[in-house]
Amino acid sequence: MRGRFITFEGIDGAGKSTHLDWFADALRARGATVLRTREPGGSPLAERLRALLLSEAMSITTEILLMFAARQDHLDTVVGPALARGDWVLCDRFTDSTFAYQGAGRGAGSEHIAMLERWVQAGLQPDRTYLFDLPPEEAARRRAGARAPDRFEQEDLDFFGRVRAGYALRVQQDPARFVTIDARQDIAAIRAVLQGSIDTLWA
Ligand code: TYD
C-alpha cells in the first residue's frame, strides 16, 4: 500500500504538535512506517534555513523565497524519497503556512506564493491536512509563559487573526483536503476526531 502525505496546520499555540505525536503513534500501531518531519526544516540544509527564518529580520520576499528554498530541499531529500518508499509522511506545517503567515498575515498576497507552490511542488499536494483552528486570543493565552517566542510568535493578535483567515480561505479553495478541528475541545475529544479520520485514510 502506498504511503500518504499528511500535514498539520494552525496558528501558534493551537496544540498541533502534541496531536501530531499521538497521530504518529496511532499510525505506527496500525503497522504504518511513519516519518515525522516539519517545516521550515526537516533536512539538514532546511534546518539551517529555519534558524535564519526564525531569528533574522528580512524582507517579505526574502522570507518567502527562503521558505520555498527550504521546502525544495526538504521535498528533494526527505519527503519525496519517503513517499517513494511507501512511508507515511507527517509534516508539522507545509505550504498552507506560507499562504496563511506570509500571504495573509504579512500581507504578501497569494499570487507569488501560488507560483512558487506550482514550481517547487510540481503537482504534489498533501493527501490530507488537519487544521487546528483556535481564536487568536485563546492561542495567545496558551502561548503565554510556554517558552520564549520566536520571530513569528511575537506578532500581535491582528496578525494571528489574519493568519487564521488565511487558513480559512485555503480550506474554502480545497475543502476535500482539509479536516478542520476546533482546538478549543479537550484532548480526548480531538483524539476521537483524529482516530475516526484515520480509518478513512486507509480506504
Ligand atoms: P512551528 O514549527 O510551528 O513553531 P514551533 O517550533 O515554535 O512549534 O513553526 C515555526 C514558525 O514558522 C511558525 O511561527 C510559523 C512559521 N512559518 C511561516 O511563517 N511560514 C511557513 O511557510 C512555515 C512552514 C512556517
Side-chain angles (χ1 to χ4, degrees):
M1 184 192 160
R2 76 173 184 92
R4 299 272 193 277
F5 182 31
I6 304 172
T7 59
F8 290 72
E9 297 281 355
I11 63 176
D12 298 273
K16 67 184 162 44
S17 302
T18 312
H19 296 298
L20 221 168
D21 288 335
W22 180 86
F23 197 86
D25 289 342
L27 285 178
R28 287 191 185 107
R30 295 185 59 154
T33 303
V34 176
L35 176 85
R36 188 193 190 294
T37 185
R38 68 173 180 180
E39 289 210 350
S43 65
L45 175 59
E47 287 291 328
R48 293 175 72 180
L49 295 173
R50 175 189 177 94
L52 294 174
L53 278 160
L54 297 192
S55 63
E56 303 283 326
M58 60 185 76
S59 79
I60 178 64
T61 303
T62 304
E63 186 171 298
I64 291 169
L65 290 170
L66 282 183
M67 284 292 177
F68 273 98
R71 184 159 296 137
Q72 182 78 67
D73 189 68
H74 185 219
L75 288 174
D76 288 348
T77 65
V78 175
V79 175
L83 291 174
R85 286 194 301 268
D87 295 354
W88 290 60
V89 177
L90 305 185
C91 193
D92 191 342
R93 299 192 180 282
F94 193 59
T95 303
D96 295 314
S97 279
T98 317
F99 280 99
Y101 280 76
Q102 281 67 48
R106 295 239 204 275
S110 61
E111 186 190 335
H112 291 110
I113 298 172
M115 215 171 72
L116 289 163
E117 178 187 37
R118 278 195 299 278
W119 187 32
V120 167
Q121 290 166 226
L124 177 74
Q125 283 292 345
D127 295 292
R128 176 161 304 163
T129 299
Y130 292 100
L131 173 61
F132 292 85
D133 182 55
L134 195 66
E137 297 77 10
E138 173 66 22
R141 269 196 294 278
R142 291 189 187 183
R143 285 196 306 274
R147 62 185 161 183
D150 66 32
R151 206 162 63 82
F152 296 101
E153 291 167 345
Q154 286 166 12
E155 294 282 354
D156 59 18
L157 281 182
D158 288 348
F159 174 84
F160 285 109
R162 292 193 298 276
V163 171
R164 188 186 192 203
Y167 276 129
L169 190 62
R170 291 290 281 170
V171 175
Q172 242 179 50
Q173 290 164 347
D174 191 4
R177 175 163 64 88
F178 283 92
V179 174
T180 303
I181 292 172
D182 181 350
R184 287 171 306 186
Q185 301 175 93
D186 63 27
I187 288 184
I190 291 174
R191 281 184 187 169
V193 174
L194 292 174
Q195 183 70 63
S197 87
I198 285 179
D199 296 331
T200 68
L201 279 165
W202 243 264

